[in-house]
Amino acid sequence: MALNKRERKNTELKVALAGNPNSGKTTMFNELTGSRQHVGNWPGVTVEKKTGRAFYQDYSLEVIDLPGTYSLGAYSEDEVVARDFLTAGDYDVVLNIINSANLDRNLYFTVQLLEMGVDLIAVLNMADEAEKKGIKIDKNKLSQMLGTPVVETVASRGRGIDNLLEQTVQNRNLTEASLKIDYGSEVEDLISEVVEMLKQYDFSQQINQRWAAVKLIEHDPEAVKLLEREVGASKAKKIKSLIAERELKAEDDFDNIIIDKKYEFINKIIEESVKRPAADAELENVSDKIDAVVTNKYLGIPIFMAVMWAIFKFTFTLGDPLIGYIETFFEIAGGWIGTQLLEIGVAPLISSFITDGIIGGVGSVLVFIPNIFLLFLAIGVLEDSGYMSRAAYVMDKVMSKLGLHGKSFIPMIVGFGCNVPGVMATRTLDSKRDRIISILINPLMSCSARLPVYVVFAGALFSSHASTVVFSLYIMGIVMAVIMAGIFNKILFKGERSHFVMELPPYRFPTLKGVIIHMWEKVGAFLKKAGTIIFSVVVLIWVLANLPLGVEYASAESFIGQFGQLVAPIFAPLGFGSWQAASSLVFGILAKEVVVGTLGVVYAAGEGGLRTALLANFTPLAAYSFLTMVLLYTPCIATLGAIKSETQSWKWTLITASYLFVLAWITAFVIYQGGMLLGIGV
Amino acid sequence: MEAKITLSESMEDYLEAIFNLIKKNGSARVTDIANSLGIAASSVNQGLKKLNQQGLIKQQKYGPIKLTQSGVQAAEKVNCKHQILYLFLHKTLGVKPETADQDACSIEHVLSQESFEKMVDYLIKNNYIEEQSCAFKFMENEEEEKMAAKELMLASMSVGSKAEVLKIESKGRLKRKLMDMGLNRGARVEVKGKAPMGDPIEIKVRGYSLSLRQDEAAEILVKEV
């Protein structure tokens, strides 16, 4: 179609990669562009946009990795993005990546693209897997039947890449006529009538009209919207009623007929261009054998548990020492810079801003980097190996009982480590409903930053039952998550049905390159966040802790301290109405472990002294109520930042921040007042 | 229905006699059969031997005679044809009851399925027989019955069985999603397994593995192959 193509130099090409998930599209993208990648978002949506650059001879290629989709049905955000990009036509050529070992379904997408008039090169990727399965593809025949060039590659081994680039460059001005499938006289007659009407109504010439007609006949909601935009509601209605009228007389629903005919066409292509081993010879492959164990009735869940435990262990036992180093680094760096600044005569206030504010604040966020690194490394391996979808498969029944989706467990497990990657991990969920609910309940997973608070209080006030108290808080978080998921499911997304129609891709060995690139993307996203939103809030809080001028940092007279005094009465019914407790909770929004540090500062006590201070200021009941608050209340800035960037909405961010506060207050209230009535721990 | 067994006229008489005796007395003995058919006990014994060979009756030595499941079915069918013939002759043609009964006895053995069904249709139309009539059990066209037995929802297929998709009964987005994933009419599927709690299920379609929940699979009509 190649319309509204920008003016580009003859040696500059814009190339898009399109294809089914699990076709090796990302591997191809990495192979073509190497490290010359840029990850951003498509405008207005949360779908990732990856662009990169490839060079071949004198040519410079801008490569765009479109989201993996099975069809142009445009149901998920991913599909809409891919479809909008392809219809807009701002590219020279599309490389349609096809999994050669699974031609039927992959060609279904190819055929849709060709019908739409997209100029594409069909890339038969994973040619080695097809060979192993004994599938022989006659490239010339396939090319002739599809009416477009065909290239064979094995992206994971870099095979055929040069040839692909050569073909891309040679076919940069590809202008093949769009593919026409015969939908049978009944539908064909209607197509011509609709095309005639579209012409009459001055429907955009830039869109292939036959394609538009077919889409309208199969009741594609996006096509209907487009039609209404283009010709107005009343004319659109005429076309719609013509289609509806014909459909009543037709022997089957038009969408059934159209899809069946597409597959008929594909079957014909395959019959003529592909040789497969006899159906009976299709032996049970390795994937099936692994599946028999991994999704086994008795072994499935224990294996899942073991894998999750291993990830957790890997992330946090390996990550925690590294976190220690980073903390030490920031402490030393802060101290050193502080003395240097004083020596050169910088005002103490500015010096404090740099050391406490910037270095301390950003440092407290950056300490999570090792955990995030390792976690996404582990998740990358699981995803690329194909186990992730099995885990979702094994867990779906349990999760859907809770109003969630099989894939929701990943963010939940991750959340126990840190809610930031937990929220980020909800990206794997397709439906908005599942994703939002998973995000909303993620902060209820007690992250590792809350543990120091539990430990200090439990040690001071519950010495003999310390571990039971800590454990009970973790359980409380899970129970609340389950309850809240149920409630959100009922009130926010009533009646929306999610589904579990999901491909279980064959097991593969993850490639180091793929996993590393995957990890870098996630950590990069986190760093960017730490650099912007988190940084500004850190600065704001530092300023409030130092104003009005001349007060001691974070003292009762500072704005934060005053704010603490102001809000303290809110917490009085919960058993801890002191301004110290209130300010520590305010600071806790910076990062949950800061609660301990703040209490230390405001009670003006060292580590040992804090214990005494807590004993003097909290009854066991009030302490448990306080810990409940710490567990449940508003998540830290980093998590809120992640929620904002993942939902692209302040609304959901504010809802999360406020519902959690209310939930925490009510729960702590019930615990404290209930305990008072029963006379427990007073 | 069981494999077709062609029975001779006398065999059908024996079966009918045993069936009626069991209904009347709770058991059937050789002497009773001989009496009710008016023939010698020795010939009854020979007949019973044949019925035993065809798996229609069970008989312990000198004990009472019992009908097997297919025996009951065969007897019921004969019995039913008898009733329909009797009604047809008596009610519509006005044949005297005794003659009608005797003729029914002779015709029942040679009556074709087609004529039987036409008679039933006629009797129903003229309100001579009611819905619960035995006839309905033997009415369905046998070929149709075979088809119907094999048509089922994907959700009720057992692991390892193969089928061909006939229809997606889901609506809207789910239907499109299923069809986009290659589950359209004529697609061959194989149930590969079920998740530990029985839901979702894993199927193989168009050479790849796809998972779906039971309630999604319950909307896909298939034909076992």
Side-chain angles (χ1 to χ4, degrees), chain A residues 612-635:
Chain A
T612 337
L614 292 181
L615 271 170
N617 288 288
F618 285 87
T619 62
L621 181 61
Y624 195 76
S625 166
F626 184 78
L627 290 181
T628 305
M629 194 73 196
V630 170
L631 164 72
L632 303 173
Y633 86 120
T634 307

Side-chain angles (χ1 to χ4, degrees), chain A residues 417-428:
Chain A
C418 174
N419 297 134
V420 172
V423 168
M424 283 156 76
T426 58
R427 284 192 189 164
T428 48

Side-chain angles (χ1 to χ4, degrees), chain B residues 41-96:
Chain B
S42 60
S43 16
V44 173
N45 266 330
Q46 281 211 331
L48 291 180
K49 217 177 183 176
K50 271 189 194 164
L51 287 174
N52 204 0
Q53 276 164 9
Q54 290 178 331
L56 297 171
I57 59 163
K58 278 181 290 196
Q59 185 190 17
Q60 272 158 0
K61 231 174 185 178
Y62 307 113
I65 295 147
K66 284 179 182 158
L67 289 170
T68 64
Q69 217 173 356
S70 40
V72 171
Q73 213 170 23
E76 273 178 345
K77 191 165 182 178
V78 176
N79 204 29
C80 183
K81 277 187 180 172
H82 183 104
Q83 281 176 35
I84 296 297
L85 279 165
Y86 170 81
L87 286 170
F88 187 78
L89 295 171
H90 176 59
K91 298 269 184 187
T92 71
L93 305 179
V95 179
K96 272 188 293 180

Side-chain angles (χ1 to χ4, degrees), chain A residues 574-650:
Chain A
L574 314 181
F576 46 90
S578 66
W579 74 267
Q580 291 95 332
S583 337
S584 77
L585 288 175
V586 174
F587 275 100
I589 296 180
L590 257 186
K592 292 292 168 91
E593 70 269 33
V594 171
V595 169
V596 176
T598 312
L599 285 173
V601 173
V602 293
Y603 284 126
E607 276 290 319
L610 181 57
R611 202 187 147 95
T612 337
L614 292 181
L615 271 170
N617 288 288
F618 285 87
T619 62
L621 181 61
Y624 195 76
S625 166
F626 184 78
L627 290 181
T628 305
M629 194 73 196
V630 170
L631 164 72
L632 303 173
Y633 86 120
T634 307
C636 69
I637 290 297
T639 306
L640 289 174
I643 293 175
K644 165 67 178 65
S645 89
E646 290 302 311
T647 58
Q648 298 267 308
S649 132
W650 282 111

